[in-house]
Amino acid sequence: MSTKLSPSERNSIAQKLPDWSLSENTDAISKRYSFKTFPEAFAFMTHIALHAEAMDHHPDWSNCYNKVDIKLTTHDAGGLTQKDMTLAQICDDAAEQYAR
Amino acid sequence: MSTKLSPSERNSIAQKLPDWSLSENTDAISKRYSFKTFPEAFAFMTHIALHAEAMDHHPDWSNCYNKVDIKLTTHDAGGLTQKDMTLAQICDDAAEQYAR
């Protein structure tokens, strides 16, 4: 079972992950990534999928052509944990590789 | 530009794609696939992604762990076309491979 973020860890989200939004209704963070075409978007998703499976922490995500919307939360903790912060950073780092 | 399905072609959807639902608000069909785990779900998505890119016809889809929700419509035709029927059949055929 993961531990939910502490108040100070939550306050650091805006600084550490400035382009992510806190969801209104659930304790989650979300972000939209835009790529040039579908192959770049899906290559990005494949990269994230491999990390997600290795972490046993999976995103809720959707894709429409060159757009990928990602929402992260830790279901078994009932909210945001360090796993979400880690996966969010992996997403941001990967997006730079697949953008062109 | 693709041509929208004729009335008789639309009427055949229920017979040809019995597990797909016509969307209420847009001229689209949708279906949820369930797999055992994330790797099966993402393997299915990868299979579909390759066909979608080859067809230049891409799904609107989302994934949450072992679930994949797929919505098909042809944006440049403003509704359902034969491309959606073809891609729906590809999805159904692929799902059988990745289910276990």
Side-chain angles (χ1 to χ4, degrees), chain A residues 38-39 42 45-46 49-50 52-53 56 58-65 75, chain B residues 38-39 42 45-46 49-50 52-53 56 58-65 75:
Chain A
F38 177 76
F42 200 77
M45 292 179 74
T46 304
L50 296 173
E53 184 61 17
D56 193 21
H58 303 83
D60 296 345
W61 53 357
S62 62
N63 160 244
C64 182
Y65 193 58
H75 295 289
Chain B
F38 178 77
F42 200 77
M45 291 179 73
T46 304
L50 296 173
E53 184 61 17
D56 192 21
H58 303 84
D60 295 345
W61 52 358
S62 62
N63 160 244
C64 182
Y65 194 59
H75 294 288

Side-chain angles (χ1 to χ4, degrees), chain B residues 6-49:
Chain B
S6 68
S8 67
E9 286 172 328
R10 294 184 66 85
N11 289 337
S12 73
I13 292 176
Q15 183 186 356
K16 290 182 178 170
L17 300 168
D19 298 326
W20 288 75
S21 302
L22 273 166
S23 300
E24 287 186 13
N25 300 324
T26 55
D27 190 29
I29 53 174
S30 60
K31 183 171 176 178
R32 167 168 287 190
Y33 294 93
S34 295
F35 300 91
K36 192 163 184 179
T37 64
F38 178 77
E40 284 82 3
F42 200 77
F44 166 75
M45 291 179 73
T46 304
H47 183 123
I48 301 307

Side-chain angles (χ1 to χ4, degrees), chain A residues 20-95:
Chain A
W20 288 76
S21 303
L22 274 165
S23 300
E24 288 185 13
N25 300 323
T26 56
D27 190 29
I29 51 174
S30 61
K31 182 171 176 178
R32 166 167 288 189
Y33 294 93
S34 295
F35 299 91
K36 192 162 182 179
T37 64
F38 177 76
E40 283 84 1
F42 200 77
F44 165 75
M45 292 179 74
T46 304
H47 183 123
I48 302 306
L50 296 173
H51 281 277
E53 184 61 17
M55 293 172 66
D56 193 21
H57 188 59
H58 303 83
D60 296 345
W61 53 357
S62 62
N63 160 244
C64 182
Y65 193 58
N66 66 325
K67 301 280 194 297
V68 180
D69 287 298
I70 301 187
K71 185 176 172 181
L72 302 176
T73 190
T74 304
H75 295 289
D76 67 4
L80 288 167
T81 68
Q82 195 57 48
K83 284 185 175 179
D84 300 302
M85 304 294 284
T86 300
L87 190 53
Q89 191 62 59
I90 289 170
C91 291
D92 280 350
D93 292 345

